[in-house]
Amino acid sequence: MPLPDILSSPRLDRSRHAAPQVFEKLRELIVSMELEPGTVLSRPELAEAFGLSQTPIRDALLRLSEEGLVDIFPQHTTEVSRIDIAAARQAHFLRRSLELEIVHVLSGRADAVLAARLQAHIDLQRASLAANAYAQFIAADQAFHRDMHEAAGVAGLWELEQRYSGHVDRLRRLHLPEAGKAERILVDHQRVLDAIVARDARRAQEALREHLSGTLSQIEDICRRYPDYVRAG
């Protein structure tokens, strides 16, 4: 997909540094698969699209490279990387380990405000699914998990997880449109929340473990359907 079609006059907040905003926008497009693996990211084209010099573009691409989301070939080109299956598995292991402890902590306390907030995210996901608004569905999904981190007092770990999540998030984006996948997420989120409200840590952990295993259990099928998008490992 040509860059101008995707980056049509992206708006930047002039009160913030440019490079982080370019990074955030490009990362969003890569993780959502709007910028597909193999897409060439031309610094001059990106600089023109954002109305910037090439310096903040270079800095943003370097950050994306650190997350493994782009491959930089010096003096040649920069491309959106293929999905690294080994990196996806490691990110999944990290997230599962942390969130199992998080739901255990949250199940040990009564927090009606948190319960209402998590339920609101589930309700928004349900409405988004009915409207086929997948971007909104994913945003509400992220908010559900982020709020659990914040309520457990480990918001910083959410940021840590995000730095490693690009590959597994791209797998989830490919898997989401499959029949029944989004509905399964809704059921899983509700099971996790209901168990937390019931202060049943064991049930909450079981529901979370099943929830997070969905996409990873389908890796072989995803690789078969999208061989040009993945790098096995």
Side-chain angles (χ1 to χ4, degrees):
M1 184 179 295
L3 286 178
D5 291 348
I6 295 174
L7 295 167
S8 54
S9 302
R11 296 180 181 178
L12 297 181
D13 181 350
R14 298 302 173 181
S15 68
R16 297 177 57 205
H17 290 299
Q21 296 182 74
V22 175
F23 164 78
E24 291 163 6
K25 179 61 176 176
L26 291 178
R27 191 184 191 282
E28 175 188 338
L29 292 170
I30 291 170
V31 170
S32 69
M33 298 298 290
E34 292 180 75
L35 285 175
E36 300 173 354
T39 300
V40 174
L41 300 177
S42 162
R43 286 189 194 177
E45 287 185 24
L46 289 171
E48 181 178 358
F50 282 98
L52 299 169
S53 72
Q54 290 193 36
T55 299
I57 302 299
R58 179 201 63 202
D59 293 345
L61 292 176
L62 285 173
R63 282 191 63 187
L64 290 168
S65 177
E66 290 171 359
E67 292 195 7
L69 295 178
V70 303
D71 294 322
I72 298 176
F73 303 97
Q75 310 304 320
H76 181 51
T77 189
T78 298
E79 297 179 358
V80 176
S81 69
R82 290 190 175 196
I83 300 169
D84 188 319
I85 300 301
R89 291 186 188 279
Q90 290 186 58
H92 172 260
F93 185 91
L94 173 64
R95 181 172 179 180
R96 182 184 61 192
S97 300
L98 292 172
E99 291 203 14
L100 284 172
E101 182 61 24
I102 285 170
V103 297
H104 184 274
V105 169
L106 296 180
S107 298
R109 63 180 71 154
D111 188 339
V113 173
L114 173 64
R117 197 158 66 240
L118 295 180
Q119 186 64 58
H121 294 318
I122 295 172
D123 293 343
L124 178 56
Q125 282 190 286
R126 186 172 291 107
S128 301
L129 180 58
N132 291 319
Y134 284 111
Q136 188 177 52
F137 183 94
I138 292 169
D141 182 289
Q142 292 283 85
F144 180 92
H145 290 273
R146 185 181 62 245
D147 280 0
M148 288 200 298
H149 282 67
E150 291 178 355
V154 291
L157 293 181
W158 173 257
E159 300 304 323
L160 173 67
E161 289 176 60
Q162 294 310 292
R163 290 201 294 273
Y164 293 94
S165 71
H167 294 288
V168 72
D169 284 346
R170 287 195 286 173
L171 283 176
R172 290 190 176 110
R173 188 63 183 84
L174 290 174
H175 190 204
L176 182 61
E178 292 298 305
K181 171 59 179 175
E183 290 82 1
R184 184 72 248 173
I185 291 173
L186 283 171
V187 171
D188 289 346
H189 278 184
Q190 194 67 61
R191 288 179 60 216
V192 170
L193 175 55
D194 290 347
I196 289 173
V197 171
R199 304 183 70 173
D200 188 334
R202 182 188 59 79
R203 186 157 56 94
Q205 289 181 318
E206 288 177 354
L208 180 76
R209 185 178 286 106
E210 183 175 341
H211 169 51
L212 292 182
S213 70
T215 294
L216 271 291
S217 68
Q218 299 299 314
I219 279 183
E220 290 186 6
D221 181 59
I222 294 171
C223 289
R224 280 195 299 269
R225 287 187 288 116
Y226 302 98
D228 295 335
Y229 284 179
V230 300
R231 181 166 61 239

